[in-house]
Every structure is written in C-alpha cells, then in structure tokens.
Amino acid sequence: MAKQIIHTDAAPAAVGPYSQAVAAGPGKTVFLSGQIGLEPGTGELVSENFEGQVRQSFANMQAVIEAAGGSLEHIVKLTLFLTDLSKFASANSIMADIIPQPFPARSTIGVASLPKGAQFEVEAIIVI
C-alpha cells in the first residue's frame, strides 16, 4: 500500500513527530491528525476563548482537507476532544455551522489536557 503525506502551510506545522495527514488506498482515504486552534503563521493559540479555538481548529482542519484535494463534504468521521465537556453544546453549535449535512459520524471525548494548553482538538477521516 502506498501512502501519500499531506502538508500545507495554510495549517500549523506539526508540533511533534507526525504528519498533518496521510492518504492511503485506491479510494484515497485520508487520515488527518488532530488540529488545535493554532494560528498557522505563529504556531500560537488564536485565543484563550474556547469558541475562537474551536473555529480556528476547524479552519486548520479544512486547510489540510483542501491540501489533500478534498472538501468538508468528504468527511466521513470526526473526533472531537474537549478539556471541558460542559462546553460541548458550544462546540456542537459551531460544528453544525461549519460542517455540511448530512453530518459525518462523530465521537466526542473529554480529556484532561491538550498540547499547548488548547481547550479543543478535532481530527477527521475523509474519503475522496
């Protein structure tokens, strides 16, 4: 199986030993690494504000999806990570504004902490 590494400067560089995304298989399934609310140019959190971090995380994810040749319509699975599950309704509302219907499958996980002190992270699987 050949794999293709996906990278774009329109999303933050990886903060560890991983790729932004990897495409595999004849149907081009793309596995995206998690995106937090970092500004691509600075590598710093866009804001201390939860909603701002959620919107930037989705924008970063979209940039990687587009670099892979896809669009938000190609998402088949999302995983959301929140450091405070009491903010789930807010993340849910933002996601509903950004992700087109029919919505993909999704899991939401409460975590103790995220890299760089982020409050939210999103990862995706797309099929092109």
Side-chain angles (χ1 to χ4, degrees), residues 24-97:
K28 197 165 180 187
T29 299
V30 184
F31 301 87
L32 283 80
S33 293
Q35 290 290 328
I36 58 177
L38 300 179
E39 289 189 1
T42 66
E44 298 298 322
L45 285 172
V46 68
S47 168
E48 291 296 319
N49 176 276
F50 177 78
E51 290 78 12
Q53 288 187 28
V54 172
R55 289 191 183 283
Q56 186 65 49
S57 297
F58 277 111
N60 294 340
M61 179 193 71
Q62 184 172 0
V64 177
I65 289 172
E66 290 171 356
S71 67
L72 296 176
E73 290 81 9
H74 291 111
I75 300 170
V76 295
K77 174 73 165 68
L78 286 172
T79 305
L80 310 181
F81 302 89
L82 286 77
T83 58
D84 183 350
L85 285 175
S86 73
K87 296 181 178 179
F88 175 72
S90 177
N92 212 34
S93 176
I94 293 168
M95 181 191 144
D97 287 344

Side-chain angles (χ1 to χ4, degrees), residues 5-9 11-21 33-36 38 40 43 64 115-116:
I5 303 303
I6 308 297
H7 174 80
T8 178
D9 291 335
V15 295
Y18 60 89
S19 300
Q20 288 175 330
S33 293
Q35 290 290 328
I36 58 177
L38 300 179
V64 177
K116 295 202 166 207

